[in-house]
Amino acid sequence: MVNLNYIREDLKKQLEADKALHCVEVRADTLDEALADAAVQLGTKVSNLEYEILEKGSNGFLGLAKKIWTVRVYQNPATVEHVVHTDVANTAIEEDNFEQTAVLNKDGIFYIHNFGSDVYLKVIPPVGNGAPVQANDVLLALGRPDIKSLDEAAVRQFVEEGTDGQYKSVGIFDHNAAADATFVIEISPDEMEASIVATSPYPQGAEISAETIRAALQSQGVVAGVADDKITAFVDNPVYNVPYVIAEGIRPVDGRDAYIAYNFETDRTKLRVKEAANGQVNFKELNLIQNVVKGQPLAQKMPAERGKNGKTLFGKFLESKNGKDIPLPLGKNVSVDIDGSTIIADTNGQVLLVGNKINVEPIMEVDGVSIKTGNIKFLGTVIVKGNVDDGFEIKASGNIEVYGTVGSCKLEADGDIIVSLGIMGRDTGVILAGKSLWAKFIQNTTVEAKEFVIVTDSIVNSNVIANRKILLQGKRAQIIGGHLFATEEIFAKAIGSTGGGSETILEVGYDPIAKRNLDQLVEKQTALVKELDEIEVNIQTLENNKKIRRSISQEKEDSLQKLITRKNEILDENEKVTDSIHELQTHLRELKVIGRVSASGTVYSGVKIFIRDVKDEIRTDVKNVTFYYENGFVRRGKYEAPNLEDMKRVPDGYSTN
């Protein structure tokens, strides 16, 4: 029964629907163009529009007196809610990258289209906590005057159960075939792209179905690249009067050429000075050398890839090109690993790319060591053709050979060190040889060699340690000042100087490095014992306080536990130090080398000679003498020349010929 309340509610709904309506005024050459423009502005389809003509246009005569159409266009109220639902879903998709909830929670969507004489419905269920499609919303959208019959029960069933992504017939509308949408399929000249260009249906006209599009493609011979997802998207939201791609051929993809992936910097201009943690730059550390060790992977060949063939829309085969192979860039001192593609170093040294080939150079040659080269750290042998300037360092795992002089520098090699001229350390220079040292002279320098120190001129005011022998064998062959240690022997022409201006001390008959290590261990043990005594006093004090008061503060309890922990650490460390001391003492006691000091010329007064900790201080000059150990005393005998083989000794890799 119709009453006042019913009319009031109906008018209220109508008012809300009218508020949701928007209109635009459009001017265009034709009515179709005006409606298409309005559809874009209102964000809907032409089939959802209603319009009134404000000014009717005309084509004129031969283009003359042409009049523009002016139309006021509205959206059909029944489709407004449908658009709102669609907009919500599209907004959720657009915000996918900003909020994860937009993906997890997506409202349901429905589509209504006319195919043939039937009205079809497609329902997409919600995702996550999205709102489901409401049957009343769908029925409202289907409440069009052109629908002749509607299966409301089927609509409600499809809304509840969904349509599995398919369109389902729910009714019949008043169909006029002359008003149907039309379309053509356009094929690109290269037969790689098919597009649909459609015109919108007029009122009572049917839209374009997916089956119709597929049939049209098939009729034109399109057998490959049909994009079902694009066809579905077009059917759901048709695009009129503009090409819309619905099929794409498979384009051939050429294979990538083989290439070499280098594990080192191939462009030496990109090697940069190292910065310290505080941001300061040490220009002595130029970082120009890329050291590698034997067996280290230097590069890997990435194999060429096969191309992927393509196919046109009509199934025509499109051939691709396979990537080109390249040879391995093998240079000197490198080889191929068992995998057949990895290049590895055959020796320690510097890796270089020379003439597009990978080389490992075990010998590094420089004109000199200065601010231009910076410090040198090299896994191999370093040859310096000039001088080593003050303040620079050379570290090498092989030999170091310097054709010129060495200043106040640090040279450290695992092998031999050869200085053709001399070493002027200025009291700060340090030379550490893993084997032997050869030099013309040594001045004011600290030297340590695991084997021999061989000098042709003089050793002046230097501290020199040789685990075997110190040999001076030139015309002067003089030792003036300093402290020299050798396990076996020291030979020179002259030792000391007239007037004894500089103190000269020579020690032989024991392992100088072992003795130095022993002294350091004894010093360390003394410090540990002192610390242990202090800790025990503090522990005793805290434990007495704990007994008297029965409890102490948490802070003192923590201190007590830390002291006990440190005490146990010291006891363990002291035990290890004691064992090391005993080992070194045993080694020094069992040392079979007695040791001797020989001078073919003069040993000047003031020189101090120690053999196995027994001292002989020279009171008056002595000539042609050899000092040796016998029955707990240092004896002096007739000069004994050094072993001939020792005098002929040359660095590794050199010949006496």
Side-chain angles (χ1 to χ4, degrees), residues 542-547 549-558 560:
L542 289 172
E543 288 181 342
N544 288 339
N545 288 338
K546 191 173 182 180
K547 288 178 181 178
R549 300 178 182 179
R550 296 186 179 180
S551 66
I552 55 177
S553 65
Q554 185 61 45
E555 183 179 354
K556 290 184 178 180
E557 183 67 38
D558 292 341
L560 177 59

Side-chain angles (χ1 to χ4, degrees), residues 280-304:
Q280 293 182 343
V281 175
N282 182 1
F283 287 98
K284 293 180 181 179
E285 297 292 344
L286 299 183
N287 194 30
L288 298 177
I289 303 170
Q290 298 185 85
N291 288 299
V292 295
V293 298
K294 183 178 180 180
Q296 179 176 334
L298 305 178
Q300 185 174 18
K301 183 173 83 168
M302 310 308 290

Side-chain angles (χ1 to χ4, degrees), residues 103-138:
V103 176
L104 299 179
N105 303 317
K106 182 179 177 182
D107 290 347
I109 309 172
F110 67 89
Y111 299 97
I112 297 173
H113 290 294
N114 301 330
F115 303 138
S117 298
D118 288 6
V119 179
Y120 285 83
L121 172 65
K122 178 179 178 181
V123 178
I124 299 176
V127 177
N129 296 324
V133 174
Q134 299 296 322
N136 290 338
D137 295 337
V138 178

Side-chain angles (χ1 to χ4, degrees), residues 613-656:
D613 290 333
V614 179
K615 177 182 177 183
D616 184 4
E617 186 169 355
I618 310 305
R619 302 297 181 182
T620 58
D621 295 353
V622 184
K623 293 185 177 181
N624 298 319
V625 63
T626 292
F627 298 84
Y628 61 93
Y629 181 86
E630 184 179 75
N631 298 326
F633 294 94
V634 176
R635 305 293 186 182
R636 301 178 186 182
K638 185 179 179 180
Y639 170 74
E640 296 180 19
N643 185 292
L644 185 61
E645 292 298 322
D646 289 339
M647 301 307 291
K648 291 183 177 181
R649 181 174 293 275
V650 295
D652 287 350
Y654 291 76
S655 171
T656 56

